[in-house]
Amino acid sequence: MAVLFPYPAHDALQVIDGPLARELSIHRYDGPKRSKAQLFGMGGPLGRQFAIVLGNTDVVTGYHPAKQTRMLFEKYELPPLAGIEISTEPYQGSRIRVQQDSKLQASNQVSCLVADESTLVALLRWYAGVAAVATDVSAFELTRVTKAARDAGFDLGTKEEGGWTVFRSTAFPTQIGVSFQGEETYAISLSDREIGARLHAELRVEACTATALWPSCFTGISGYEALYSAIQRIAMLARALGEEALLEFSEIVKRPPNSTEAVRQVVQRVGQDIFRRRLIQYWGGKCAMTGLNIETLLRASHIKPWANCDTDEERLDVFNGLLLAPHLDALFDKRLITFSADGYVVRSAYLSDEHVRQLGLDFESMPPIALSVRHQEYLAWHRAHPFGQQV
């Protein structure tokens, strides 16, 4: 699925004309206010050429309004950097066609969109031949990243694949890849789309081009601490979405107490404890609505209640639950509130404005909760059984 990269051409131009111009001996072939495409060379007039495609220039300010950064290079195989998307159609602007010394005409051109500054810097350093690409990193950097992965539970040996350093685990099936974009700047790819969606909702990291192998990809993760935290969170989500909880529950119910009622109560209590642990992992120990992070206060709210579930898989499904503060759990459990498909609170007619005021709530100012598509079936059940209706 193609990603429309939002890095503005004007920002990219400042980077090219700034530090990179000095570092890579970049020079212009024309003035800075030319519109549409600006040509550059590296390492002198006979060096490699590249261009950046711009919008129409404002002649007063010199501002280039293009919301994306498209780069043109001589025809090379571009490196497997996270944060670039190859453009299938060549750029055919007149500036490229008529420039006599241009090496960037369509027959000798490769073009790509660039996601952010760190990707642009890594790409131009590669093009200039002065820096290694993704897999050629220092032993120190690789050791640090490997430690972050192992601390999170990615305990199998690493491997290099398509520019990514890949980490796997014996505890869960999710794989991650780490790409080195520059000094303490990283990209992460994931084999699990669901975990990727949750990570994006929580961390607001920039998405990059997905592939069949890596359905989720994020770029521009700045700093080792941010990378370490992201890998830890991925592993926590992988455990929350895994099969361990159901296996644990199945083992326990094989050896129940003797009394039928005692069996039922013990089984339900054990199941609720397992379910709560999974929700704490999935929601990161925070109330899904308010962000309250006093873990001992939080309640594991079934969307479709335990007694109404048809299978143990439903009862323990992390997507059949929300982690909520106590008063919100009570409202949700009694179906005095529910949620729309896009995560906004929907109030029951039995919950008046005065009730809401007495509870100290302000639903209007609350942002939507981050729901997965897999929550939707359970929430549809919840909305179909409003307050007062027998279930």
Side-chain angles (χ1 to χ4, degrees):
M1 179 178 65
V3 176
L4 295 180
F5 288 129
Y7 188 50
H10 183 258
D11 294 347
L13 201 58
Q14 290 179 328
V15 175
I16 293 169
D17 278 332
L20 281 180
R22 295 185 293 274
E23 178 187 347
L24 304 179
S25 299
I26 293 174
H27 68 279
R28 288 178 170 274
Y29 282 100
D30 54 333
K33 289 192 174 183
R34 179 178 292 278
S35 64
K36 290 299 184 185
Q38 290 187 10
L39 283 172
F40 299 86
M42 289 180 172
L46 299 179
R48 294 180 177 177
Q49 292 183 3
F50 71 91
I52 177 174
V53 178
L54 306 161
N56 289 319
T57 302
D58 183 319
V59 295
V60 176
T61 65
Y63 180 70
H64 303 280
K67 302 303 182 185
Q68 294 180 325
T69 293
R70 182 173 177 179
M71 304 296 296
L72 311 180
F73 301 100
E74 298 173 50
K75 197 163 188 176
Y76 296 93
E77 183 176 348
L78 295 182
L81 289 173
I84 67 172
E85 180 183 337
I86 305 299
S87 302
T88 56
E89 296 296 325
Y91 178 72
Q92 299 280 15
S94 59
R95 170 69 180 141
I96 300 300
R97 290 199 304 270
V98 302
Q99 182 77 11
Q100 290 184 353
D101 60 353
S102 173
K103 303 174 184 178
L104 304 178
Q105 297 184 55
S107 60
N108 191 41
Q109 177 196 114
V110 63
S111 171
C112 66
L113 297 176
V114 179
D116 51 30
E117 179 178 335
S118 61
T119 304
L120 175 70
V121 170
L123 185 62
L124 287 177
R125 283 175 174 169
W126 163 82
Y127 189 60
V130 298
V133 294
T135 58
D136 187 15
V137 297
S138 71
F140 171 71
E141 186 69 90
L142 183 58
T143 298
R144 289 207 307 167
V145 173
T146 301
K147 181 184 185 305
R150 294 223 170 133
D151 286 353
F154 292 93
D155 54 351
L156 293 176
T158 62
K159 62 178 181 177
E160 300 298 326
E161 190 170 281
W164 298 96
T165 302
V166 179
F167 299 94
R168 298 163 296 144
S169 174
T170 56
F172 41 78
T174 302
Q175 298 184 41
I176 62 169
V178 177
S179 173
F180 303 85
Q181 296 186 289
E183 186 175 354
E184 290 216 359
T185 306
Y186 312 91
I188 292 181
S189 57
L190 296 90
S191 62
D192 190 302
R193 191 187 310 276
E194 194 69 56
I195 293 176
R198 185 69 206 166
L199 195 70
H200 180 64
E202 290 184 5
L203 304 184
R204 301 298 180 188
V205 286
E206 192 68 53
C208 53
T209 305
T211 65
L213 180 61
W214 302 114
S216 292
C217 176
F218 304 101
T219 187
I221 298 171
S222 180
Y224 179 72
E225 289 186 4
L227 176 73
Y228 191 98
S229 297
I231 293 175
Q232 288 285 330
R233 186 67 183 120
I234 291 167
M236 185 179 292
L237 288 166
R239 289 185 172 93
L241 299 181
E243 299 295 327
E244 291 87 350
L246 187 60
L247 293 174
E248 180 185 353
F249 183 69
S250 298
E251 285 299 313
I252 290 171
V253 299
K254 286 178 182 176
R255 301 182 298 277
N258 293 325
S259 164
T260 301
E261 179 59 22
V263 169
R264 188 192 67 78
Q265 291 180 359
V266 169
V267 166
Q268 182 165 343
R269 185 173 68 249
V270 169
Q272 293 281 10
D273 288 344
I274 295 171
F275 181 68
R276 184 173 188 275
R277 289 205 308 270
R278 297 188 81 191
L279 286 186
I280 289 171
Q281 290 175 325
Y282 182 81
W283 294 100
K286 297 178 183 179
C287 171
M289 288 182 66
T290 66
L292 176 72
N293 62 356
I294 305 176
E295 195 171 295
T296 55
L297 292 181
L298 299 177
R299 301 289 185 266
S301 297
H302 270 90
I303 302 173
K304 185 178 181 181
W306 181 279
N308 296 98
C309 291
D310 299 319
T311 64
D312 288 340
E313 285 81 1
E314 278 193 348
R315 293 183 179 98
L316 300 178
D317 188 354
V318 74
F319 296 103
N320 185 21
L322 302 173
L323 194 65
L324 296 173
H327 59 319
L328 298 171
D329 166 67
L331 292 171
F332 187 71
D333 182 60
K334 300 301 182 185
R335 292 182 296 286
L336 289 168
I337 62 170
T338 188
F339 295 93
S340 64
D342 52 4
Y344 286 96
V345 174
V346 178
R347 284 166 48 187
S348 164
Y350 291 91
L351 189 65
S352 68
D353 290 343
E354 180 63 15
H355 291 146
V356 173
R357 185 192 66 77
Q358 291 169 343
L359 287 164
L361 295 171
D362 182 8
F363 291 132
E364 298 299 323
S365 66
M366 287 184 176
I369 60 175
L371 294 172
S372 163
V373 67
R374 293 171 65 184
H375 286 108
Q376 299 301 337
E377 181 179 349
Y378 294 111
L379 281 171
W381 186 98
H382 197 270
R383 290 191 295 267
H385 295 83
F387 179 80
Q389 181 172 327
Q390 294 297 316
V391 298

